[in-house]
Amino acid sequence: MGEHVAYIRVSSIDQNTARQLDGLHLDKIFTDKCSGKDVSRPQLAACLDYLRDGDMLHVHSIDRLARNLQDLLRIIESLNQRGISVSFHKEGLTFSADKAEDPFQKLQLQIIGAVAQFERAMIRERQREGIAIAKAAGKYKGRKSLVTDDLVARAKAMQDSGMNKSAIAKALAISRNSVYKLLAQ
């Protein structure tokens, strides 16, 4: 029997990974702290590279592993073809490498992936509706602009004194891109 390997993803640095896969005996754990939409998930790439024939990949839930349905199908099919099984604990599903061509298993995966994608879309829609209601009530103003007349004047004065944009950015503790925007005002 192969190793039991876990992939854990949390959306932000301050989120706790302890609740995911708590109590399981795992030989190796890979953890990414980034958004699910983020294409760059270095620990997922390392995890997928680490896995070998006979291993079992444990994931808390489907949305922790994949960004969308196509990504989910691609990852699971690739792992199953390599002899690696995948277990999603929240959903109580295991996609065994022994049943890689099982049409019912594939149907389950597609349905669950579609439901998860729909659920995320509904959450985003409710969030947009909530923001629109708050804006209409004057309670939501968005992020306060950090650009002030003083900051623009300071940036222009520094440019006039001969400082380059990188030096201005460093002196004002802002990005070079922000310097270009300030100087365009």
Side-chain angles (χ1 to χ4, degrees):
M1 180 80 186
E3 290 188 29
H4 288 269
V5 178
Y7 175 69
I8 296 173
R9 181 186 59 78
V10 291
S11 297
S12 63
I13 290 173
D14 59 334
Q15 282 187 326
N16 190 348
T17 61
R19 73 172 185 89
Q20 293 186 30
L21 307 173
D22 190 35
L24 283 178
H25 167 73
L26 300 164
D27 298 304
K28 184 106 173 127
I29 299 173
F30 294 87
T31 304
D32 273 322
K33 295 190 178 189
C34 61
S35 166
K37 294 185 291 185
D38 197 343
V39 176
S40 174
R41 294 177 285 168
Q43 288 299 298
L44 177 59
C47 177
L48 297 176
D49 187 53
Y50 178 84
L51 291 163
R52 299 289 179 255
D53 185 9
D55 287 351
M56 170 69 81
L57 175 62
H58 297 272
V59 184
H60 175 68
S61 65
I62 288 176
D63 68 327
R64 300 289 94 190
L65 180 65
R67 296 184 331 260
N68 54 46
L69 180 58
Q70 292 76 25
D71 193 33
L72 177 68
L73 293 173
R74 181 188 55 77
I75 291 170
I76 291 178
E77 287 174 355
S78 170
L79 291 172
N80 284 167
Q81 287 171 0
R82 292 174 43 204
I84 301 158
S85 298
V86 183
S87 180
F88 297 102
H89 292 265
K90 183 177 178 183
E91 292 85 2
L93 289 173
T94 298
F95 294 94
S96 172
D98 298 334
K99 300 178 189 173
E101 297 301 319
D102 180 357
F104 183 68
Q105 179 175 289
K106 187 169 185 171
L107 175 64
Q108 282 181 309
L109 181 62
Q110 289 175 335
I111 290 170
I112 291 166
V115 169
Q117 196 169 354
F118 175 75
E119 184 178 17
R120 283 190 303 276
M122 292 304 297
I123 289 168
R124 284 192 304 272
E125 180 62 27
R126 285 192 297 271
Q127 182 181 25
R128 281 192 294 272
E129 288 172 359
I131 289 170
I133 290 167
K135 280 182 177 179
K139 295 179 182 175
Y140 184 90
K141 310 243 187 293
R143 181 176 165 196
K144 185 179 177 185
S145 175
L146 299 176
V147 177
T148 62
D149 292 338
D150 177 56
L151 188 62
V152 172
R154 287 174 53 201
K156 288 183 177 180
M158 288 178 185
Q159 182 184 36
D160 292 343
S161 72
M163 288 179 74
N164 67 31
K165 291 174 180 60
S166 294
I168 295 169
K170 193 171 190 173
L172 296 176
I174 59 175
S175 71
R176 253 185 36 191
N177 195 29
S178 295
V179 171
Y180 281 96
K181 289 177 183 176
L182 286 175
L183 295 174
Q185 291 187 9

